[in-house]
Amino acid sequence: EFFRELLENAERSLNDMFVRTYGMLYMQNSEVFQDLFTELKRYYTGGNVNLEEMLNDFWARLLERMFQLINPQYHFTEDYLECVSKYTDQLKPFGDVPRKLKVQVTRAFIAARTFVQGLTVGREVANRVSKVSPTPGCIRALMKMLYCPYCRGLPTVKPCNNYCLNVMKGCLANQADLDTEWNLFIDAMLLVAERLEGPFNIESVMDPIDVKISEAIMNMQENSMQVSAKVFQGCGQPKPAPALRSSRSVPENFNTRFRPYNPEERPTTAAGTSLDRLVTDIKEKLKLSKKFWSTLPYTICKDERVTAGPSVEEDCWNGHTKARYLPEIMNDGLTNQINNPEVDVDITRPDTFIRQQIMALRVMTNKLKNAYNGNDVNFQDTSDETSGSGSGSGCTDDICPTEFDFVTTEAPLVDSDRREVEASATQPGWSLQTLLVTFISLVLQRQWR
């Protein structure tokens, strides 16, 4: 929303300035500028727009319009104006403004669009993974950890922390394999965030774009005689305008000059929001989410609603009785669960859906790296789709769907007196599955909000 509002404000500011400065001449040719902003918006929302070609086309069209305005005594055919546009690069009628603006706009928009897309993909992956159902082996291990103390007459004894860690590492073995690609993705996001804070900050590029375009128009005015002479030399002498047309001179027809803008007149974005503040806040949250998947078992098991806590090693349920838990804690990831004493894990069958999410992260990471280097990223054109998602992700529903609402089912959390055991006993598989999914979702919401 911030970037969309920024574009709308920039367009509004340019329109207001040019109406005041050029009056009817601008209003008669305003579609050239409107088309520029339309294409910028379409690019940002995922449209298949080549920024460099689009900007080149804008300056070529502007040259055609201005060339007619500074030479009202002549009649120009479409073929002649096409010839004029070919001289845009050679004559540099607008000075160095088009070249500088092209570099700034392309780098800023590539970085902004890819960064926002990265945020969407990251949240979608986290949301999808949080809904992965536990395996039968995981459900059995959870049942033993959470409810078997009742069979031994120990209803108030909570599981040992290390016991919980082995259970969760077995249950979340596939999720932990996301960690490597997730960390690379977060690092790439942080790199692109630097572009949003540096010289290619889209806010600092778009805010004065009206001034820069007006400066280019002034350059064209000041060099109009030389430009016209070279065009006439290259494209041929044009035919005089019909007698009925006005033969006013250039100073009378297009003699306005750019009036410096007052920053206080500019429209502002919502409630004092600035890109710097947004990026700083997002960067902090991204840093906190590193190693999220490998630390997820630790995050769950330190919850006092689940275990007795790391400080209680003797008076806790170890899976058999109230005593210390002796087995060693397993390492992270699927391959390290071959000897997990608590969960039966088939390390030869990686979860296909988790592997799809790893691939989605890998694809997005490559796009982020390209964006950091200023290279455009080919997104799917979603501008004509009825979904209106505008993400331009190019993803399939199996890999990174457009919806990313977190799980909202409120499963009963296990408290110290285990009041939910009766309800859980009737449908143990469903309740334990919901419990695990809910814990993961709660942690995700805290760290990826």
Side-chain angles (χ1 to χ4, degrees):
E1 283 300 322
F2 175 85
F3 292 120
R4 189 174 292 108
E5 187 178 357
L6 185 66
L7 283 173
E8 291 173 354
N9 284 346
E11 182 177 13
R12 202 157 45 238
S13 180
L14 182 143
N15 184 71
D16 293 344
M17 172 191 285
F18 279 35
V19 166
R20 292 194 305 267
T21 306
Y22 301 110
M24 187 58 66
L25 291 176
Y26 165 72
M27 296 173 68
Q28 291 172 345
N29 298 277
S30 61
E31 75 275 5
V32 175
F33 304 92
Q34 291 170 358
D35 290 347
L36 168 66
F37 283 96
T38 297
E39 289 299 288
L40 288 175
K41 291 174 187 175
R42 193 163 74 87
Y43 173 86
Y44 174 73
T45 55
N48 188 18
V49 177
N50 185 309
L51 283 176
E52 290 195 14
E53 289 182 3
M54 183 270 293
L55 290 169
N56 289 339
D57 182 62
F58 165 74
W59 292 111
R61 290 179 64 194
L62 186 59
L63 174 60
E64 291 178 12
R65 297 298 179 92
M66 287 199 61
F67 193 77
Q68 295 178 80
L69 291 173
I70 62 178
N71 292 285
Q73 65 273 33
Y74 297 107
H75 171 69
F76 300 102
T77 64
E78 291 296 327
D79 290 340
Y80 196 98
L81 291 176
E82 186 176 345
C83 178
V84 172
S85 66
K86 294 178 181 178
Y87 281 82
T88 307
D89 291 333
Q90 180 181 339
L91 297 177
K92 291 186 172 23
F94 300 111
D96 204 31
V97 174
R99 184 190 65 81
K100 290 181 178 179
L101 201 59
K102 182 192 296 184
V103 173
Q104 292 173 335
V105 168
T106 54
R107 294 295 290 270
F109 272 76
I110 289 170
R113 182 172 82 163
T114 311
F115 186 75
V116 172
Q117 179 62 21
L119 289 175
T120 303
V121 169
R123 189 173 182 183
E124 287 171 347
V125 167
N127 176 56
R128 297 282 286 188
V129 173
S130 74
K131 296 180 180 179
V132 172
S133 299
T135 63
C138 171
I139 292 175
R140 285 193 296 270
L142 285 171
M143 173 67 80
K144 180 181 176 183
M145 182 180 78
L146 296 174
Y147 300 116
C148 281
Y150 289 91
C151 304
R152 298 299 177 90
L154 303 170
T156 62
V157 179
K158 293 184 179 181
C160 299
N161 185 73
N162 290 351
Y163 174 33
C164 174
L165 286 175
N166 273 344
V167 171
M168 287 302 161
K169 288 198 175 195
C171 286
L172 301 174
N174 282 284
Q175 285 86 337
D177 285 346
L178 276 164
D179 216 47
T180 299
E181 204 61 52
W182 178 266
N183 293 336
L184 293 173
F185 162 73
I186 295 298
D187 288 338
M189 286 288 291
L190 291 171
L191 280 176
V192 176
E194 292 179 9
R195 291 289 186 238
L196 298 180
E197 295 176 315
F200 302 110
N201 177 328
I202 192 172
E203 192 172 29
S204 63
V205 169
M206 292 305 298
D207 193 48
I209 195 170
D210 50 359
V211 179
K212 294 174 182 178
I213 293 177
S214 193
E215 178 186 341
I217 292 174
M218 288 176 61
N219 288 332
M220 174 71 178
Q221 289 179 253
E222 292 167 358
N223 299 309
S224 59
M225 299 286 289
Q226 300 92 312
V227 170
S228 296
K230 290 181 180 178
V231 169
F232 293 160
Q233 184 179 358
C235 298
Q237 189 69 23
K239 296 180 180 179
L244 293 177
R245 284 197 56 173
S246 170
S247 59
R248 290 179 293 178
S249 63
V250 174
E252 293 174 330
N253 191 62
F254 199 64
N255 62 355
T256 53
R257 283 293 181 266
F258 159 65
R259 180 177 67 84
Y261 77 97
N262 181 357
E264 295 180 357
E265 296 177 2
R266 289 190 175 281
T268 58
T269 52
T273 302
S274 74
L275 184 61
D276 290 338
R277 282 195 292 272
L278 284 174
V279 173
T280 298
D281 181 56
I282 293 172
K283 282 174 63 178
E284 290 305 312
K285 291 181 178 179
L286 288 172
K287 291 174 182 176
L288 290 174
S289 69
K290 284 199 71 172
K291 298 184 178 180
F292 173 81
W293 302 103
S294 61
T295 59
L296 188 55
Y298 297 88
T299 305
I300 293 174
C301 290
K302 73 180 181 181
D303 193 310
E304 61 183 11
R305 294 171 295 180
V306 180
T307 70
S311 62
V312 182
E313 297 183 356
E314 302 291 343
D315 300 329
C316 56
W317 171 250
N318 66 4
H320 302 282
T321 187
K322 179 182 177 182
R324 177 186 292 268
Y325 182 74
L326 297 177
E328 65 176 336
I329 301 175
M330 297 293 100
N331 290 323
D332 303 319
L334 183 64
T335 57
N336 290 315
Q337 306 309 310
I338 187 170
N339 294 318
N340 191 311
E342 310 304 337
V343 186
D344 294 328
V345 182
D346 186 353
I347 66 170
T348 65
R349 298 182 63 184
D351 187 282
T352 304
F353 184 78
I354 297 291
R355 268 36 192 188
Q356 288 177 337
Q357 308 314 305
I358 291 174
M359 182 57 65
L361 289 172
R362 188 170 298 157
V363 169
M364 193 66 237
T365 299
N366 288 332
K367 292 179 179 180
L368 288 163
K369 289 179 179 178
N370 282 330
Y372 177 76
N373 293 322
N375 300 321
D376 207 348
V377 187
N378 294 322
F379 288 105
Q380 178 184 4
D381 188 350
T382 60
S383 57
D384 297 327
E385 294 183 3
T386 57
S387 64
S389 63
S391 65
S393 65
C395 301
T396 64
D397 289 340
D398 290 336
I399 296 179
C400 44
T402 56
E403 294 184 0
F404 42 82
D405 293 331
F406 282 99
V407 179
T408 55
T409 302
E410 295 185 359
L413 298 178
V414 182
D415 58 15
S416 59
D417 59 5
R418 312 291 177 86
R419 286 189 295 269
E420 291 81 14
V421 66
E422 182 178 350
S424 301
T426 59
Q427 291 182 303
W430 170 248
S431 298
L432 289 168
Q433 174 178 331
T434 307
L435 175 68
L436 180 60
V437 168
T438 301
F439 268 121
I440 296 173
S441 299
L442 289 173
V443 175
L444 282 168
Q445 289 183 54
R446 284 199 296 266
Q447 291 198 237
W448 195 250
R449 189 171 296 162

